[in-house]
Amino acid sequence: MTSQTTTAGPAERPGEPDSPHSPSASPSPDGLQPGLKNRHLSMIAIGGVIGAGLFVGSGAGIAAAGPAILLSYALVGLMVVFVMRMLGEMAAARPSSGSFSAYADQALGRWAGFSIGWLYWFFWVVVLAVEATAGAKILEGWVPGVPQWAWALIVMVVLTATNLVSVGSYGEFEFWFAGIKVVAIGAFVVVGLLAVFGLLPGSDNPGAGLAHLTDTGGFFPEGPGAILTGVLMVVFSFMGSEIVTLAAGESENPQRAVQKATNSVIWRIAVFYLGSIFVVLTLLPWNDPSIVKDGSYVAALNSIGIPHAGEVMNVIVLTAVLSCLNSGLYTASRMAFSLGGRGDAPKAFARTNKRGVPQAAILSSVVFGFVAVFFNYKWPDTVFQFLLNSSGAVALFVWLVICFTQLRMRGMILRESPEKLVVRMWLFPYLTWATIAMISFVLVYMLTDDSGREQVLLSLLVAALVVAISLVREARNRRNGTAGKTPANT
């Protein structure tokens, strides 16, 4: 393996210049290659908000809250829009492969960057196992001669190879994976709306218009409190929106990419989440048994009379799973790369090969992903369930850290390089504090829910352990006289 000795330090240390990537596509100071084109970044940004959870998990949310689940999606969507606006403000000014972890390092302290970086890495490693298993189940249904574990292995190996070749190959795969998801949901929304209003020729759906939103127990059939229950069920399907800010560090024009992604997040959530769920709720009564039994999208397609709806949706879900796996591996490896460059992970993680790929960071993330897959097959209800629950609330922790980081980072950017504040959080600091209150409320409300309580408590336990490790490291570094320094400047 041919390696460079450059690390991820220069672009991410407090008070040092940003990592400038110009349209000339020259290598960045941290060794990464700007191999992502604008079309890659655009599709990563769009596809990042469409996870497999939207296709698979929406039926349970509809069953729990009825038509009011639309308000649950709207509330979480609003929260994500605000968080992405804050992250976009920082990422446009200081593009970095470590994104919010690097910014927390600068604004809140080394302990914060270390803790949230490792927690985020842990989250995506567990996601790798979840998605690999989900993809393997679909593939085994198509080719039962190959066991499920073998399909999981094949999928992981293929996507690992893709990420190892170059960042451009990751971008190309994600471009097509995300493209299929986008086209599928766009077509679903258009065809569904035509059927809703009786304008689709040959449709089996009666075309009831908006009647199904209120004709079965009203808009709040389970009471207004069900909106919050719905929030708990849908909040984690939004995780992934922030991937574009990590990927921007390997693009030709990071500032422009982040600006476009941040500005488009509102319509992306409105169309893909609210639009598609609205179509399901207007095609069928919310309590139709097929929504839970077959899945909300398959049930909706069946009501229209689309032949082989289940098979069609399986193809789309598999695409979403592969997209999530591809992006999850990329995200975990780039976070490990950034942590290595700041001295918060083994130095090998911060080295890139001649193609500008952080090989050690990718392979290490894959190894832990394989271990998690093994746990999922060997001890699904004990060890793997613990991993799943202990990473369950990490998304909310990440969003909270982004909010607190932006409160501090705004002043730092204004002092050091005000001309780079091209994306601004609206109504700062009031909306930032309002978002902090919203996320905190969701976390507290989760403690009143049986499944949510376990996730919050176990996630807090793991977070406390990681923070404790970071504080011990800082205390040791202070004794050694290296506090606040990275390997590049010790």
PDB file of all heavy atoms in Angstrom, residues 29 80 134 139 155 163-164 179 224 245 270 288 400 417 426 458:
ATOM      1  N   PRO A  29      -4.677  20.191   1.347  1.00  0.00           N
ATOM      2  CA  PRO A  29      -3.575  20.038   2.283  1.00  0.00           C
ATOM      3  C   PRO A  29      -3.671  18.785   3.135  1.00  0.00           C
ATOM      4  O   PRO A  29      -2.676  18.313   3.655  1.00  0.00           O
ATOM      5  CB  PRO A  29      -3.682  21.303   3.165  1.00  0.00           C
ATOM      6  CG  PRO A  29      -4.458  22.274   2.354  1.00  0.00           C
ATOM      7  CD  PRO A  29      -5.392  21.465   1.519  1.00  0.00           C
ATOM      8  N   VAL A  80     -34.788  19.652  11.184  1.00  0.00           N
ATOM      9  CA  VAL A  80     -33.654  19.301  10.321  1.00  0.00           C
ATOM     10  C   VAL A  80     -33.262  20.478   9.429  1.00  0.00           C
ATOM     11  O   VAL A  80     -32.076  20.729   9.201  1.00  0.00           O
ATOM     12  CB  VAL A  80     -33.989  18.057   9.466  1.00  0.00           C
ATOM     13  CG1 VAL A  80     -32.912  17.796   8.426  1.00  0.00           C
ATOM     14  CG2 VAL A  80     -34.154  16.837  10.358  1.00  0.00           C
ATOM     15  N   ALA A 134     -30.553  -5.914   5.980  1.00  0.00           N
ATOM     16  CA  ALA A 134     -31.802  -5.613   5.254  1.00  0.00           C
ATOM     17  C   ALA A 134     -31.655  -5.922   3.768  1.00  0.00           C
ATOM     18  O   ALA A 134     -32.542  -6.526   3.149  1.00  0.00           O
ATOM     19  CB  ALA A 134     -32.181  -4.146   5.458  1.00  0.00           C
ATOM     20  N   LEU A 139     -32.236  -9.778  -1.141  1.00  0.00           N
ATOM     21  CA  LEU A 139     -31.513 -10.554  -2.146  1.00  0.00           C
ATOM     22  C   LEU A 139     -31.724 -12.049  -1.960  1.00  0.00           C
ATOM     23  O   LEU A 139     -31.820 -12.799  -2.935  1.00  0.00           O
ATOM     24  CB  LEU A 139     -30.023 -10.214  -2.087  1.00  0.00           C
ATOM     25  CG  LEU A 139     -29.666  -8.803  -2.585  1.00  0.00           C
ATOM     26  CD1 LEU A 139     -28.257  -8.417  -2.169  1.00  0.00           C
ATOM     27  CD2 LEU A 139     -29.816  -8.714  -4.095  1.00  0.00           C
ATOM     28  N   VAL A 155     -22.380  -7.783  -0.453  1.00  0.00           N
ATOM     29  CA  VAL A 155     -22.749  -6.363  -0.520  1.00  0.00           C
ATOM     30  C   VAL A 155     -21.683  -5.490   0.143  1.00  0.00           C
ATOM     31  O   VAL A 155     -21.261  -4.470  -0.403  1.00  0.00           O
ATOM     32  CB  VAL A 155     -24.130  -6.147   0.163  1.00  0.00           C
ATOM     33  CG1 VAL A 155     -24.374  -4.677   0.430  1.00  0.00           C
ATOM     34  CG2 VAL A 155     -25.237  -6.712  -0.715  1.00  0.00           C
ATOM     35  N   ASN A 163     -15.494   2.228  -2.417  1.00  0.00           N
ATOM     36  CA  ASN A 163     -14.945   3.324  -1.624  1.00  0.00           C
ATOM     37  C   ASN A 163     -13.419   3.355  -1.663  1.00  0.00           C
ATOM     38  O   ASN A 163     -12.810   4.418  -1.552  1.00  0.00           O
ATOM     39  CB  ASN A 163     -15.428   3.234  -0.181  1.00  0.00           C
ATOM     40  CG  ASN A 163     -16.788   3.866   0.042  1.00  0.00           C
ATOM     41  OD1 ASN A 163     -16.910   5.009   0.455  1.00  0.00           O
ATOM     42  ND2 ASN A 163     -17.842   3.118  -0.267  1.00  0.00           N
ATOM     43  N   LEU A 164     -12.794   2.186  -1.816  1.00  0.00           N
ATOM     44  CA  LEU A 164     -11.330   2.128  -1.834  1.00  0.00           C
ATOM     45  C   LEU A 164     -10.741   2.611  -3.150  1.00  0.00           C
ATOM     46  O   LEU A 164      -9.608   3.081  -3.190  1.00  0.00           O
ATOM     47  CB  LEU A 164     -10.852   0.692  -1.567  1.00  0.00           C
ATOM     48  CG  LEU A 164     -10.929   0.198  -0.116  1.00  0.00           C
ATOM     49  CD1 LEU A 164     -10.609  -1.288  -0.051  1.00  0.00           C
ATOM     50  CD2 LEU A 164      -9.971   0.992   0.776  1.00  0.00           C
ATOM     51  N   GLY A 179     -30.187   8.678  -7.526  1.00  0.00           N
ATOM     52  CA  GLY A 179     -31.019   9.030  -8.682  1.00  0.00           C
ATOM     53  C   GLY A 179     -32.238   8.133  -8.794  1.00  0.00           C
ATOM     54  O   GLY A 179     -33.356   8.595  -9.070  1.00  0.00           O
ATOM     55  N   PRO A 224     -54.263  14.560  19.781  1.00  0.00           N
ATOM     56  CA  PRO A 224     -53.122  15.420  19.417  1.00  0.00           C
ATOM     57  C   PRO A 224     -51.785  14.913  19.956  1.00  0.00           C
ATOM     58  O   PRO A 224     -50.734  15.135  19.360  1.00  0.00           O
ATOM     59  CB  PRO A 224     -53.481  16.776  20.047  1.00  0.00           C
ATOM     60  CG  PRO A 224     -54.964  16.740  20.220  1.00  0.00           C
ATOM     61  CD  PRO A 224     -55.306  15.310  20.493  1.00  0.00           C
ATOM     62  N   THR A 245     -22.178  17.758   3.889  1.00  0.00           N
ATOM     63  CA  THR A 245     -21.181  18.700   4.411  1.00  0.00           C
ATOM     64  C   THR A 245     -19.828  18.021   4.642  1.00  0.00           C
ATOM     65  O   THR A 245     -18.800  18.683   4.636  1.00  0.00           O
ATOM     66  CB  THR A 245     -21.657  19.363   5.724  1.00  0.00           C
ATOM     67  OG1 THR A 245     -21.787  18.365   6.742  1.00  0.00           O
ATOM     68  CG2 THR A 245     -22.981  20.073   5.530  1.00  0.00           C
ATOM     69  N   ALA A 270     -39.882  18.665   1.880  1.00  0.00           N
ATOM     70  CA  ALA A 270     -41.301  18.871   1.559  1.00  0.00           C
ATOM     71  C   ALA A 270     -41.789  17.869   0.520  1.00  0.00           C
ATOM     72  O   ALA A 270     -42.871  17.271   0.665  1.00  0.00           O
ATOM     73  CB  ALA A 270     -41.520  20.297   1.057  1.00  0.00           C
ATOM     74  N   ASP A 288     -56.153   1.415   7.273  1.00  0.00           N
ATOM     75  CA  ASP A 288     -56.220   0.260   6.369  1.00  0.00           C
ATOM     76  C   ASP A 288     -55.143  -0.754   6.783  1.00  0.00           C
ATOM     77  O   ASP A 288     -53.963  -0.405   6.870  1.00  0.00           O
ATOM     78  CB  ASP A 288     -55.983   0.726   4.927  1.00  0.00           C
ATOM     79  CG  ASP A 288     -56.281  -0.362   3.907  1.00  0.00           C
ATOM     80  OD1 ASP A 288     -55.660  -1.442   4.012  1.00  0.00           O
ATOM     81  OD2 ASP A 288     -57.101  -0.138   3.009  1.00  0.00           O
ATOM     82  N   LEU A 400     -27.794  18.446  18.514  1.00  0.00           N
ATOM     83  CA  LEU A 400     -27.591  19.362  19.649  1.00  0.00           C
ATOM     84  C   LEU A 400     -26.196  19.986  19.612  1.00  0.00           C
ATOM     85  O   LEU A 400     -26.037  21.196  19.814  1.00  0.00           O
ATOM     86  CB  LEU A 400     -27.776  18.616  20.972  1.00  0.00           C
ATOM     87  CG  LEU A 400     -29.133  18.681  21.666  1.00  0.00           C
ATOM     88  CD1 LEU A 400     -29.075  17.939  22.992  1.00  0.00           C
ATOM     89  CD2 LEU A 400     -29.599  20.120  21.891  1.00  0.00           C
ATOM     90  N   SER A 417     -12.764  35.636   9.457  1.00  0.00           N
ATOM     91  CA  SER A 417     -12.988  35.727   7.998  1.00  0.00           C
ATOM     92  C   SER A 417     -14.459  36.001   7.706  1.00  0.00           C
ATOM     93  O   SER A 417     -15.181  35.120   7.229  1.00  0.00           O
ATOM     94  CB  SER A 417     -12.544  34.435   7.321  1.00  0.00           C
ATOM     95  OG  SER A 417     -13.048  33.303   7.999  1.00  0.00           O
ATOM     96  N   TRP A 426     -30.961  31.769  10.027  1.00  0.00           N
ATOM     97  CA  TRP A 426     -32.004  32.781  10.151  1.00  0.00           C
ATOM     98  C   TRP A 426     -32.205  33.181  11.615  1.00  0.00           C
ATOM     99  O   TRP A 426     -32.106  32.361  12.520  1.00  0.00           O
ATOM    100  CB  TRP A 426     -33.326  32.251   9.583  1.00  0.00           C
ATOM    101  CG  TRP A 426     -33.230  31.718   8.193  1.00  0.00           C
ATOM    102  CD1 TRP A 426     -32.944  32.408   7.050  1.00  0.00           C
ATOM    103  CD2 TRP A 426     -33.416  30.352   7.788  1.00  0.00           C
ATOM    104  NE1 TRP A 426     -32.946  31.579   5.965  1.00  0.00           N
ATOM    105  CE2 TRP A 426     -33.235  30.317   6.381  1.00  0.00           C
ATOM    106  CE3 TRP A 426     -33.723  29.174   8.459  1.00  0.00           C
ATOM    107  CZ2 TRP A 426     -33.355  29.131   5.644  1.00  0.00           C
ATOM    108  CZ3 TRP A 426     -33.838  28.000   7.734  1.00  0.00           C
ATOM    109  CH2 TRP A 426     -33.657  27.986   6.353  1.00  0.00           C
ATOM    110  N   LEU A 458     -29.316   4.254  27.167  1.00  0.00           N
ATOM    111  CA  LEU A 458     -28.125   3.544  26.704  1.00  0.00           C
ATOM    112  C   LEU A 458     -27.219   4.448  25.875  1.00  0.00           C
ATOM    113  O   LEU A 458     -25.990   4.375  25.975  1.00  0.00           O
ATOM    114  CB  LEU A 458     -28.520   2.306  25.896  1.00  0.00           C
ATOM    115  CG  LEU A 458     -29.051   1.120  26.703  1.00  0.00           C
ATOM    116  CD1 LEU A 458     -29.499  -0.019  25.800  1.00  0.00           C
ATOM    117  CD2 LEU A 458     -27.991   0.620  27.682  1.00  0.00           C
TER     118      LEU A 458
END
